Amino acid sequence: MNHTEPARVLGIDLGDRRIGLALSDPTRTIAQPLETLKKRAGKRMPVQAVVDLIHEHRADTVVLGLPLAPSGVETPWCGEVRSFGEKLRARAGVTVQYVDERFTSARAQRALRELGLPRRKREEKARVDAGAAVLILQAWLDRVRRP
């Protein structure tokens, strides 16, 4: 790998059961789906698995979707997301940013529908979670690139 290549950005849609992941290209212009991690019921969030991906993909920034209520106020789950972000910051030494993720799952489902995928494929939860992570990351990339 070319070590002069700029660090990438990892986008995360943190859910109760799954963690959708997306990764920026080296120019930090385009978000691409990475994978979806599963969280087993009753188990802790897989922080180390995400830290390993941060190192593997040379990300220096993590963008987490913040699940605000429709009114814009923080929900109880926002505390879980912030706690997860703090663990990533401490363990991986990354900058952590938060993006309003309201309606990203619905937008991801709509985008999959527009791709013409069969209903069975569209409704795969992991695909929707990775799509939501792409939308979260792309929103942040677009915002920071604006002059």
Side-chain angles (χ1 to χ4, degrees):
M1 178 190 299
N2 178 356
H3 289 289
T4 59
E5 183 177 285
R8 295 174 186 243
V9 182
L10 183 71
I12 301 176
D13 177 36
L14 187 67
D16 206 15
R17 294 187 185 106
R18 286 171 308 280
I19 301 171
L21 300 168
L23 189 66
S24 75
D25 67 310
T27 66
R28 295 181 173 217
T29 305
I30 298 169
Q32 306 156 45
L34 188 57
E35 62 183 271
T36 299
L37 299 176
K38 288 190 173 134
K39 178 187 172 282
R40 295 199 332 251
K43 300 290 182 186
R44 291 187 190 147
M45 286 290 179
V47 175
Q48 190 58 49
V50 177
V51 168
D52 292 345
L53 287 168
I54 288 167
H55 293 310
E56 177 186 340
H57 294 287
R58 295 190 58 244
D60 70 351
T61 304
V62 170
V63 177
L64 277 154
L66 206 55
L68 302 174
S71 65
V73 299
E74 291 209 6
T75 64
W77 188 249
C78 288
E80 295 290 328
V81 171
R82 290 186 184 280
S83 172
F84 188 78
E86 185 54 33
K87 288 174 185 166
L88 294 178
R89 187 196 62 70
R91 286 202 206 171
V94 291
T95 299
V96 177
Q97 302 285 321
Y98 299 92
V99 171
D100 177 358
E101 73 163 34
R102 286 178 287 178
F103 317 117
T104 54
S105 290
R107 287 195 348 249
Q109 286 174 320
R110 190 168 47 250
L112 289 170
R113 206 169 31 247
E114 289 169 2
L115 286 174
L117 290 173
R119 168 173 250 131
R120 185 175 73 260
K121 290 279 188 198
R122 283 198 321 254
E123 291 177 350
E124 287 177 10
K125 301 287 188 205
R127 195 180 296 265
V128 172
D129 293 335
V134 167
L135 292 171
I136 289 164
L137 179 54
Q138 193 64 57
W140 185 84
L141 292 170
D142 292 346
R143 192 175 73 222
V144 298
R145 288 183 66 83
R146 252 186 239 134

